[in-house]
């Protein structure tokens, strides 16, 4: 089943986000390579493709897991959690309809 994993950034965490990004992307690439990643990306803190020093308000990942518990565990182990970027992670089931 698909799950939405939303990470919410804390305040002034852009340097920590940038430092943890390679490890964060490696986990997403592994999901992609396994055919389990629907989409992933950050949410700019301002209305801009490149928010610059404003940074990001969080990230969204939609990926397939065998259970909600597995999706929650995956989200809890994100390098952004370990680096203190995310203040919280929310995981919900997702049903893809379109496209």
């Amino acid at each position: 089943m698909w799950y939405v994993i939303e990470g919410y950034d804390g305040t002034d965490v852009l340097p920590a986000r940038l430092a943890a990004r390679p490890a964060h992307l490696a986990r997403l690439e592994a999901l992609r390579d396994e055919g389990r990643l629907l989409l992933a990306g950050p949410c700019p803190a301002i209305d801009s493709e490149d928010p610059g020093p404003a940074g990001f308000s969080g990230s969204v990942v939609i990926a397939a897991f065998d259970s909600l518990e597995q999706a929650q565990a995956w989200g809890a182990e994100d390098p952004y959690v370990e680096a203190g970027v995310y203040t919280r992670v929310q995981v919900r089931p997702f049903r893809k309809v379109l496209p």
Side-chain angles (χ1 to χ4, degrees):
M1 180 165 189
W2 295 110
Y3 294 90
V4 176
I5 302 168
E6 292 179 276
Y8 297 86
D9 283 23
T11 304
D12 298 322
V13 295
L14 186 58
R17 177 183 261 276
L18 294 175
R21 188 170 190 262
H24 172 78
L25 288 178
R27 295 178 81 230
L28 293 171
E29 290 165 352
L31 286 177
R32 179 201 60 205
D33 294 348
E34 295 167 6
R36 298 173 44 207
L37 183 65
L38 183 62
L39 66 85
C43 301
I46 61 173
D47 189 14
S48 174
E49 279 286 317
D50 180 3
F56 300 89
S57 62
S59 303
V60 175
V61 174
I62 301 179
F65 292 90
D66 290 334
S67 68
L68 177 61
E69 291 78 19
Q70 285 182 359
Q72 289 169 328
W74 189 92
E77 295 168 1
D78 194 289
Y80 285 167
V81 172
E82 193 172 305
V85 175
Y86 291 160
T87 58
R88 69 184 175 101
V89 175
Q90 181 178 5
V91 180
R92 296 175 288 151
F94 178 77
R95 191 179 77 169
K96 183 178 184 280
V97 174
L98 293 172

